[in-house]
Amino acid sequence: MMSDEHLLLKDAAGGDASALEALMSRYGSRVYRLAHGITRNSADAEEIVQDVFLQMVRKGGAFEGRAALGSWIYRVTTNVALNKRRGKRREVETSLEECLPAWEADGHRSGPRAFLVADWSGRPDAELLSGEARRILEEAIDRLPEHYRAVLILKDVEELTNEDVAASIGDSVSAVKTRLHRARMALRELLTRRLGPQT
Amino acid sequence: MMTCRDVNGLLVDYVDGALPPEVAAAVERHLASCEPCRAYLATYRKTRALGAQAARVEIPDEMRTRLRQFLLERAG
């Protein structure tokens, strides 16, 4: 039996404007967020959204519904966005390493104590999401590799399970968890370097 | 006894509430006596929340309009 979404996709593929509207309403922002999260560019994200929805319309009739439609759409979006970024990609993996915690042989984190105990988490979101702090956050997100940003969006914004993130990007659950942790650690480190020790 | 590095390696599952109870309890025993790890966890959680809020964008209305037009021209 076809799911509601499967029927919607078939109808949209057949040129039904109301089915297309329903799909856009359900998935438009989700596709845009992921595309924008990966490319960090609004014009590129728009091209990706058009491409993904066009694939839905043209190939959606062949979607067999074995996977959840959401996962299928996220997977198409991730592939299109990463392809678009190919060639533009900056090699940031090396610089990401220096944003991860360094460890002493006994398992303690390395660094000055004032930095290690810096806790800026009590600052209001409104302050951290505006002005200089917001700029620091956006720059930190820019420094992450695209695959890491994709995982952050799917897990922390769309709130998918690790298993669903893995299905959406075609990777293993352990790879998803590793990327997620490294991405959060790198962002935390960059924020703490700028916001932390003064508090 | 867990080290700070052991605790750090469990944070993804810890903040998801996905650790077995005995492992979560061991993490909490470490946190109770380790100020740097408490600060790390608090800022790790805050980072997750801030990153999510910064990325929570909606498709702009004018883009949605262009997308609708683009697709209707090609559908069917």
Side-chain angles (χ1 to χ4, degrees):
Chain A
M1 187 174 152
M2 281 191 185
S3 69
D4 164 49
E5 290 196 316
H6 196 176
L7 282 171
L8 210 52
L9 193 58
K10 292 251 186 228
D11 289 346
D16 180 333
S18 64
L20 204 51
E21 290 282 349
L23 274 180
M24 278 174 48
S25 170
R26 201 171 292 184
Y27 287 103
S29 282
R30 290 193 236 179
V31 171
Y32 177 73
R33 266 194 296 275
L34 181 56
H36 189 269
I38 293 172
T39 63
R40 304 287 288 158
N41 178 290
S42 181
D44 286 348
E46 179 166 8
E47 286 182 20
I48 292 159
V49 171
Q50 287 185 349
D51 195 346
V52 169
F53 273 87
L54 197 56
Q55 287 199 39
M56 276 193 237
V57 170
R58 290 187 172 160
K59 300 180 186 170
F63 176 72
E64 292 176 1
R66 281 194 295 267
L69 178 60
S71 293
W72 183 75
I73 290 172
Y74 285 136
R75 192 161 185 164
V76 171
T77 305
T78 304
N79 287 339
V80 173
L82 291 176
N83 276 336
K84 190 161 192 67
R85 289 285 298 170
R86 195 160 290 152
K88 294 183 185 175
R89 198 171 302 167
R90 290 175 301 136
E91 293 304 326
V92 288
E93 290 279 354
T94 310
S95 65
L96 193 68
E97 288 298 325
E98 56 108 353
C99 300
L100 301 178
W103 301 99
E104 305 287 352
D106 64 1
H108 285 93
R109 198 152 42 100
S110 303
R113 178 148 181 99
F115 184 77
L116 296 181
V117 299
D119 183 358
W120 44 268
S121 66
R123 290 198 192 183
D125 285 2
E127 178 194 326
L128 293 169
L129 288 167
S130 62
E132 177 68 2
R134 178 59 179 255
R135 193 184 61 73
I136 293 166
L137 176 62
E138 296 290 345
E139 280 180 10
I141 294 171
D142 283 342
R143 284 185 69 171
L144 297 175
E146 293 92 344
H147 278 92
Y148 287 55
R149 289 202 294 264
V151 170
L152 269 187
I153 300 282
L154 293 172
K155 175 71 178 177
D156 288 347
V157 181
E158 305 301 340
E159 300 182 343
L160 269 55
T161 62
N162 293 328
E163 290 72 19
D164 285 345
V165 176
S168 296
I169 63 171
D171 217 330
S172 67
V173 170
S174 67
V176 164
K177 285 162 72 168
T178 298
R179 278 188 203 150
L180 185 63
H181 189 40
R182 286 166 63 91
R184 288 175 182 164
M185 284 195 295
L187 292 184
R188 193 214 75 91
E189 184 76 14
L190 291 166
L191 289 169
T192 303
R193 284 179 193 171
R194 305 291 291 273
L195 303 171
Q198 304 95 308
T199 56
Chain B
M1 185 70 181
M2 281 187 180
T3 66
C4 301
R5 189 169 195 170
D6 295 332
V7 169
N8 182 279
L10 295 168
L11 285 186
V12 163
D13 285 331
Y14 181 73
V15 299
D16 266 356
L19 288 176
E22 65 278 11
V23 180
V27 169
E28 278 153 18
R29 277 196 301 277
H30 177 97
L31 289 169
S33 64
C34 182
E35 187 182 0
C37 283
R38 286 198 301 276
Y40 198 95
L41 174 62
T43 48
Y44 184 92
R45 282 189 158 130
K46 188 74 166 184
T47 298
R48 178 177 64 160
L50 291 174
Q53 287 189 67
R56 197 168 285 130
V57 293
E58 297 294 317
I59 186 169
D61 286 342
E62 65 276 15
M63 196 181 289
R64 189 185 290 276
T65 303
R66 287 195 295 273
L67 176 64
R68 181 182 299 113
Q69 190 63 36
F70 174 85
L71 292 173
L72 288 175
E73 284 167 7
R74 287 162 179 79

